[in-house]
Structure formats: structure tokens, C-alpha cells
Amino acid sequence: MIKRIWHQIISYLSISCICISLFSCGKDSNLNKDHLVFRYNEFANINTLDPAFSRTLQDNSVCNQLFNGLVQLDDKLNILPCIAKDWNVSEDGKTYTFNLRNDVYFHKHELFGKDSTRVVVAKDFSYSLNRLKDEKLAAPGSWVLNKVANFRAINDTIFEISLKQPFPAFIGLLTMKYCSVVPKEVVEHYGTAFRSHPIGTGPFKFKRWEENIKLVFRRNENYFETDEQGHKLPYLEAVALTFLPDKQSEFLQFAQGNIDYLSGLDASYKDELLTADGKLRESYAKSVNMTTGPYLNTEYLGFYLDSETPEIQSKLIRKAINYGFDRKKMMIYLRNGIGNPAHGGFIPIGLQGYDASIGFTYQPGKAKALINQFKEESGITNPEITLVTSSNYLSFCEFIQRELEKAGLKINVDVMPEATLRSARTEGKVDMFRSSWVADYMDAENYLSIFYSKNFTPKGSNYFHFKHKTVDSLYNKAFTISDIEKRKYLYTTIDSLAMENAIMVPLFYDEVVRFTRKNVKGLGINPINMLDLRRVTKSVE
């Protein structure tokens, strides 16, 4: 306990020092500039500041402050211009031509010469995408270019991408941070160290990163975007992150006013902050704003089908787990009603292809019968399985553990740090694991890619090592169909086949929940929970 309190004091002092050092210049008017600094904690830590390796939500959120691509998403996930001011698609749907702005500059760096910066041109995108697909770099985002035949800079302001075949969702892929533009001279100067020396075009520029301690960004005075009144973005002068490693400490810092923003709901503080029906408690209503909205995120348990464990190999056991617990009850007691029970498939509510009828409902009798059938057929009288989770989802896994024990299945719950679990899951070292999948773009294809056999981990995201000829065939066929209704039918069929084989246990479709101090305005909310700080302001408390 003493160690935890000391850690919190150090973190608070660290942030205070950041604010003072950023603005101190000996004048009274600069003594209190705290309202120009947005402060938050990232308990899951940051892995990289290189967009080519930005594969987690927390990495994407920080890279979103530093980098831009050809196109971007708004809060309703509409695709809007960014560095490309407009674009057109050929009649055959295979060639995309982007017309670039000529007023976008990289953040200042001595490698750019006497002007310390330079304008972004089309060949920068050629370099950035070539780097992304370079096998030697082994960037996890290289898959976004799988459908690309070639690309070229026609001149400084025209960039062209040609696809191998039409793919209507392709423009959505380009909104991902993987496809951000980076400067060749800086990347090649730093090599792998570019992860901690990022230079982009975003609304904020890199200032300082002490890994596991703090991260600081400053306002990019040359940023190209403006608001509706023509005022330059962003409004804030700085962004300061800390890395307290658990949600309870993070909440205490928020409650004390030391950080401005809290994302998500955790068992350690949910009842302190919310009523049983998910409303903000009166004691916090005067100082805190709560915002909720749809979240394209499916929380689930997955099975590694190449496991040698008989219980994992058995569809009977996998289905029994799906039938054996009450998702609605779980959401009420463990999430204060925030989120929707996953009675459909893997595709979440809000995406084309979602179908509430293809999943599993609570049928404890059926779960018990399936487990008994497994016992009879396998000769295993005491079936047992191990579920690995991170500490933040321990309560969910223990709930399922208790419910399945009633049906005759013993579930052992092991806890790993989130980063360790991600690595073990990718390497096929865990038989059953808790995970989540957040949409990268507004098409269900990015969910169903997890079922495609050519995406086996570690090269892809098929953590289950699920292989099904019909699924593979339908997945490939979907790329050739531009009619959304026909594509929707294929998506639902693929999802239903995965559910029929019970390769996962969908738990719930999440909701974005954001808590901010009352003096924070303009943060907004979006269905992929991406942090966008361009229009955020803070008033003096």
C-alpha cells in the first residue's frame, strides 16, 4: 500500500513539473497554464510511437496525435479528406487517385535543413507504404496492403493506388494509423529508434518520452487543419500522459483532479462512480461529465484449436461454455448495465452482418447435457480447462467459472499482464484466452478476417487456428461484391459458421464510456474509441 501511494505521489509531482517546465518564462501570466495541458493516464502502457507498429488502441490514440494519412474518420466514422483534399475511384473500382494538399508540413527536425521542416509530397506516401509492406521491417500493419497491386507518385500532389481486384472497403483501410505518412530522411536516420523519435504531421509534436513514466506532446504550430471559424487547430498547448499500471490508481488520480480523462469502466471503481443502473452518482455529478455511445468492440473468450487438450478440441465443451452462463445477468452485476450481452455472433451491433439469432442464449440444462455427453464419449470423468485473462477481466472469468462448475466443468483461471497475454495468445501458448476486437474501419470484413485460415498467428490475427473451406471461400468472395446487402448476407453466413463451430465465446458488445472533468469541452466520442484532441479545450477551474 505504501509503495502504491508513493507511486501516485511521484506521478502527480511528475505531471506538475511538466506543466511548470512547459510554460515557465518568468511572467505572472504564465504561472498557471494548467488549463492548456490535457492530462490522462494509460494503464496499458504505450508500445511504440511508430505508426507502422501501432496495433493497439492505446498506441493508435497517441499516434493519432502525431500523424496523418490520406483520409480520416469523423466521430460517426464517415471517411473524410485529410492530407488528400479529395479523391476519385475508377469505374472498375481498382484505381484510387488522390489529390494532395500542398500546405501540410512535417514537424520540425534538424535533418530537414535550414527551414527545419518541409512540405509533404506524394513520394512521401510511396515511401511510407513501401516501408509498411517491407518484409524486413515485419510491421504488423502490412496486411492492409494485401489487396494493393502497386502505387505511385504521379507528381508532388497526385498519388495513385491500384488494387489487384475491386474492394469496396479499401478506402476505410487507409484511415488506419498504419497508413500514416512519415519522412524518409528521419526514419532512415533513426532506424528502429524511430519508435521513440517520431516525426509526423499531426496536431501535436513529440516532446519527451520516459518509458513507463511519462509522455509529453506539444502543440504543432504548423498544423494545417482549422475549425469551422477558421481558427487553427489544436486549441491545447500540450498533452501529458502518465502510466500508472492499474485502473484503481488511475481512478484515484482522476477523482483527485490530477488527470482530466478516464476511459472505460473497471470493477475496481464502477460502484464508486456509477449507480446499479449505470448512472453517474450524485457525489460526482458536480465535478464529472459522463458520455456513452456505441462501441464497435466485441469482448470474447477464444479457443486455440491446435491445442492437444481434449476439452479444447471438443465442440461439445466449447458449446457448453457458450450455453452455460447468463450474459444478461453478467452485464447487470459486473458492468452496471453498460454494454450489450453478446447473444449474436462476433460481428457487433452497428455493423452490417450483425445477427442476434446466430449466437448462444443461456441454457444451463443444455450445457450440462453437453458436458455429460463429452464425459461419456471421451471417458474423462472430471473435465478441466484453463482460462487465461488479464486482471481487468478477472471478475468476468470468475463469474463464468462459477456458472460452468454447476454444469460439471472445472475452469481454472490464470491471470497474466495484458502484454504477456497478447504475446502468449499470438504464439499459441494459451488454450483458452480472454480478448477483444475493436473495429479498425466500418466494414465487418475486418472482424471476419480473424476466421480466415491464411491469417493464422503469428503472421495474422486468426488466434484460434480455425480452418474451414466454406468460410475461406465466402471470405474471398465478399471482396468481389460491391452490393452491401449481398455482402451482408455473406458476412452473416461466415459469422454463423464460426459460431456453429463454437471457436469462441462472445461475451458482450461494449459501449464507449468516457469520464471527463467538468472543465473539459470538445472531446467527443466515437464508435472505435479513438482519442481525438484537436478540438479539446479546458477552462480554468
Side-chain angles (χ1 to χ4, degrees), residues 476-537:
N476 286 321
K477 185 178 180 180
F479 291 118
T480 66
I481 298 175
S482 57
D483 187 309
I484 186 58
E485 288 302 316
K486 292 180 180 178
R487 210 158 74 244
K488 173 184 172 182
Y489 173 76
L490 292 183
Y491 289 162
T492 303
T493 303
I494 293 170
D495 204 3
S496 64
L497 287 170
M499 292 304 105
E500 171 59 28
N501 283 274
I503 66 171
M504 63 162 52
V505 182
L507 299 177
F508 61 93
Y509 310 119
D510 208 354
E511 285 185 287
V512 177
V513 185
R514 289 182 170 181
F515 303 96
T516 55
R517 308 296 304 179
K518 283 286 187 181
N519 66 327
V520 174
K521 305 294 182 185
L523 182 59
I525 198 167
N526 57 78
I528 58 174
N529 204 19
M530 181 71 77
L531 194 60
D532 183 355
L533 300 177
R534 288 173 297 178
R535 290 174 170 80
V536 171
T537 61

Side-chain angles (χ1 to χ4, degrees), residues 101-330:
R101 301 175 64 126
N102 61 4
D103 60 348
V104 180
Y105 292 83
F106 286 113
H107 301 154
K108 290 184 178 181
H109 194 281
E110 60 186 12
L111 287 171
F112 293 130
K114 64 177 182 178
D115 295 326
S116 298
T117 185
R118 68 167 176 81
V119 71
V120 174
V121 294
K123 68 179 181 181
D124 290 313
F125 279 99
S126 291
Y127 171 76
S128 300
L129 296 187
N130 272 318
R131 176 176 181 258
L132 183 62
K133 72 175 186 177
D134 186 352
E135 293 183 0
K136 293 181 180 179
L137 188 70
S142 60
W143 64 269
V144 303
L145 301 178
N146 285 348
K147 301 293 184 292
V148 174
N150 55 69
F151 41 80
R152 61 183 180 132
I154 294 178
N155 56 39
D156 282 354
T157 60
I158 299 178
F159 184 64
E160 184 181 272
I161 301 178
S162 298
L163 305 184
K164 299 173 184 176
Q165 62 188 51
F167 179 35
F170 175 70
I171 193 71
L173 289 175
L174 296 179
T175 66
M176 297 176 68
K177 301 319 296 181
Y178 291 138
C179 300
S180 301
V181 67
V182 294
K184 178 180 179 180
E185 52 267 69
V186 178
V187 172
E188 295 191 348
H189 172 75
Y190 286 113
T192 57
F194 184 70
R195 67 177 289 279
S196 56
H197 296 81
I199 294 293
T201 60
F204 296 91
K205 58 188 179 182
F206 174 72
K207 178 67 176 179
R208 183 181 183 186
W209 185 19
E210 294 181 37
E211 295 197 41
N212 305 311
I213 300 175
K214 59 189 173 186
L215 175 63
V216 182
F217 299 150
R218 291 295 308 272
R219 182 177 185 269
N220 175 15
E221 63 277 7
N222 291 325
Y223 192 58
F224 60 94
E225 288 190 296
T226 60
D227 64 16
E228 291 74 13
Q229 287 73 44
H231 301 132
K232 293 194 69 172
L233 297 174
Y235 303 131
L236 294 165
E237 286 294 333
V239 180
L241 283 75
T242 51
F243 299 100
L244 293 174
D246 65 272
K247 295 291 284 185
Q248 185 175 20
S249 298
E250 181 179 83
F251 171 70
L252 288 173
Q253 289 295 303
F254 178 73
Q256 293 166 11
N258 296 330
I259 58 176
D260 302 304
Y261 161 74
L262 188 67
S263 178
L265 199 61
D266 188 75
S268 65
Y269 61 76
K270 67 179 181 64
D271 295 323
E272 164 74 13
L273 198 52
L274 300 182
T275 60
D277 59 351
K279 305 297 182 183
L280 196 62
R281 289 193 181 277
E282 188 175 343
S283 57
Y284 287 95
K286 293 181 179 180
S287 59
V288 173
N289 284 325
M290 173 182 170
T291 310
T292 62
Y295 192 6
L296 298 182
N297 172 37
T298 301
E299 297 287 340
Y300 69 95
L301 307 180
F303 300 102
Y304 180 60
L305 302 182
D306 280 343
S307 167
E308 296 180 358
T309 305
E311 289 88 341
I312 296 292
Q313 294 175 355
S314 172
K315 190 190 299 186
L316 298 172
I317 293 293
R318 301 198 304 266
K319 284 191 171 184
I321 296 173
N322 270 288
Y323 284 122
F325 66 100
D326 190 337
R327 291 167 173 82
K328 184 176 181 180
K329 181 179 177 182
M330 179 181 73

Side-chain angles (χ1 to χ4, degrees), residues 282-517:
E282 188 175 343
S283 57
Y284 287 95
K286 293 181 179 180
S287 59
V288 173
N289 284 325
M290 173 182 170
T291 310
T292 62
Y295 192 6
L296 298 182
N297 172 37
T298 301
E299 297 287 340
Y300 69 95
L301 307 180
F303 300 102
Y304 180 60
L305 302 182
D306 280 343
S307 167
E308 296 180 358
T309 305
E311 289 88 341
I312 296 292
Q313 294 175 355
S314 172
K315 190 190 299 186
L316 298 172
I317 293 293
R318 301 198 304 266
K319 284 191 171 184
I321 296 173
N322 270 288
Y323 284 122
F325 66 100
D326 190 337
R327 291 167 173 82
K328 184 176 181 180
K329 181 179 177 182
M330 179 181 73
M331 297 306 293
I332 292 172
Y333 288 105
L334 300 181
R335 291 274 297 185
N336 296 58
I338 302 294
N340 296 284
H343 291 137
F346 187 45
I347 300 173
I349 298 170
L351 276 186
Q352 296 282 358
Y354 166 76
D355 189 329
S357 69
I358 66 175
F360 295 86
T361 55
Y362 179 46
Q363 299 184 50
K366 195 165 187 176
K368 189 171 185 178
L370 288 167
I371 292 170
N372 287 334
Q373 184 181 345
F374 171 78
K375 291 178 180 179
E376 293 173 5
E377 293 180 2
S378 67
I380 299 174
T381 56
N382 296 303
E384 187 174 342
I385 199 168
T386 297
L387 167 59
V388 183
T389 182
S390 60
S391 59
N392 295 318
Y393 290 85
L394 179 60
S395 58
F396 291 90
C397 295
E398 289 180 336
F399 175 84
I400 295 168
Q401 178 189 47
R402 291 191 296 270
E403 294 299 296
L404 266 298
E405 187 176 8
K406 299 173 186 176
L409 176 64
K410 181 179 180 181
I411 297 180
N412 302 305
V413 178
D414 285 350
V415 178
M416 287 184 181
E418 185 68 40
T420 305
L421 176 54
R422 283 199 302 267
S423 177
R425 182 188 63 202
T426 299
E427 296 170 8
K429 293 182 178 179
V430 286
D431 286 348
M432 186 181 180
F433 52 87
R434 192 226 58 91
S435 190
S436 59
W437 191 272
V438 182
D440 297 311
Y441 52 94
M442 282 295 291
D443 193 278
E445 181 274 334
N446 73 136
Y447 273 82
L448 302 180
S449 63
I450 202 171
F451 303 143
Y452 188 48
S453 66
K454 291 186 178 180
N455 287 339
F456 275 16
T457 53
K459 293 183 178 180
S461 53
N462 188 338
Y463 307 115
F464 325 101
H465 281 206
F466 175 57
K467 188 173 185 178
H468 193 290
K469 288 184 178 180
T470 304
V471 166
D472 286 353
S473 176
L474 293 176
Y475 178 77
N476 286 321
K477 185 178 180 180
F479 291 118
T480 66
I481 298 175
S482 57
D483 187 309
I484 186 58
E485 288 302 316
K486 292 180 180 178
R487 210 158 74 244
K488 173 184 172 182
Y489 173 76
L490 292 183
Y491 289 162
T492 303
T493 303
I494 293 170
D495 204 3
S496 64
L497 287 170
M499 292 304 105
E500 171 59 28
N501 283 274
I503 66 171
M504 63 162 52
V505 182
L507 299 177
F508 61 93
Y509 310 119
D510 208 354
E511 285 185 287
V512 177
V513 185
R514 289 182 170 181
F515 303 96
T516 55
R517 308 296 304 179

